[in-house]
């Protein structure tokens, strides 16, 4: 989880929602990823999907049944579906997501009884660290958006325009 948190911190520095993921085979990290939706201009560039794709390419296998996906935030429906389709052996996540989490919060897609694959799931690992990273990121964004906005042609009284 600490490696996934490192990825999440790097995502935040790049202006992305701080979610990081790693894929393990045994105790070896075979893939690392972070959210890249803004940088890639792609709403599907979630850390989980990017990590799963990288692991499958590196291992030369579409099915990751002997792998563990570790992610800092409970996966959404899209990522939960990908976890099932990739046949991930186990899933470990940090913070619960009561707005979009599909591994126990809003729903539980990864353990749906009618699906042919259900990974082992463990939620809440270093949840406070993951949640604090997200809270800080969004608080900083709210603070930045609360800065005063000047209308066109409006200048603060102490500003000077130079070079004209």
């Amino acid at each position: 989880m600490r490696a996934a948190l490192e990825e999440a911190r790097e995502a935040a520095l790049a202006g992305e929602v701080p979610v990081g993921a790693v894929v393990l085979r045994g105790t070896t990290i075979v893939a690392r990823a972070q959210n890249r939706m803004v940088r890639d201009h792609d709403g599907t560039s979630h850390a989980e999907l990017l990590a799963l794709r990288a692991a499958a390419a590196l291992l030369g296998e579409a099915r990751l049944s002997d792998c563990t996906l570790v992610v800092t935030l409970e996966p959404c429906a899209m990522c939960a579906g990908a976890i099932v389709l990739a046949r991930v052996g186990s899933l470990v996540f940090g913070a619960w997501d009561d707005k979009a989490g599909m591994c126990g919060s809003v729903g539980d897609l990864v353990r749906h009884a009618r699906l042919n694959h259900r990974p082992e799931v463990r939620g809440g690992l270093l949840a406070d660290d993951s949640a604090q990273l997200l809270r800080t990121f969004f608080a900083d964004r709210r603070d930045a958006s609360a800065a005063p906005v000047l209308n066109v042609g409006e200048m603060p009284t102490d500003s000077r325009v130079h070079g004209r």
Side-chain angles (χ1 to χ4, degrees):
M1 181 59 75
R2 296 204 190 285
L5 282 164
E6 288 174 26
E7 291 295 320
R9 286 185 196 97
E10 288 181 27
L13 291 173
E16 301 279 357
V17 174
V19 177
V22 296
V23 176
L24 300 165
R25 182 179 257 176
T27 59
T28 303
I29 294 175
V30 295
R32 303 170 72 104
Q34 56 193 249
N35 271 3
R36 293 190 54 92
M37 291 174 29
V38 174
R39 289 173 281 179
D40 292 353
H41 308 288
D42 181 353
T44 67
S45 288
H46 288 198
E48 301 95 324
L49 289 183
L50 297 173
L52 291 174
R53 288 177 189 149
L58 179 77
L59 298 171
E61 301 174 22
R63 294 184 176 185
L64 304 173
S65 57
D66 62 344
C67 293
T68 299
L69 174 66
V70 180
V71 62
T72 57
L73 181 65
E74 180 184 2
C76 68
M78 174 181 67
C79 295
I83 290 163
V84 171
L85 292 173
R87 309 288 198 277
V88 171
S90 61
L91 166 67
V92 176
F93 65 86
W96 295 88
D97 185 352
D98 62 355
K99 293 181 181 173
M102 290 303 289
C103 301
S105 290
V106 174
D108 200 349
L109 181 60
V110 295
R111 293 178 284 203
H112 192 284
R114 300 217 29 207
L115 296 176
N116 64 345
H117 177 76
R118 288 179 293 283
E120 293 180 32
V121 178
R122 178 178 173 206
L125 181 65
L126 296 179
D128 291 339
D129 295 349
S130 297
Q132 185 58 47
L133 190 56
L134 288 158
R135 277 193 296 272
T136 299
F137 176 80
F138 286 113
D140 290 349
R141 296 209 29 152
R142 280 190 299 277
D143 290 347
S145 68
V149 176
L150 299 176
N151 292 323
V152 174
E154 189 177 280
M155 294 286 287
T157 57
D158 60 342
S159 292
R160 303 278 190 268
V161 176
H162 299 284
R164 290 193 175 216

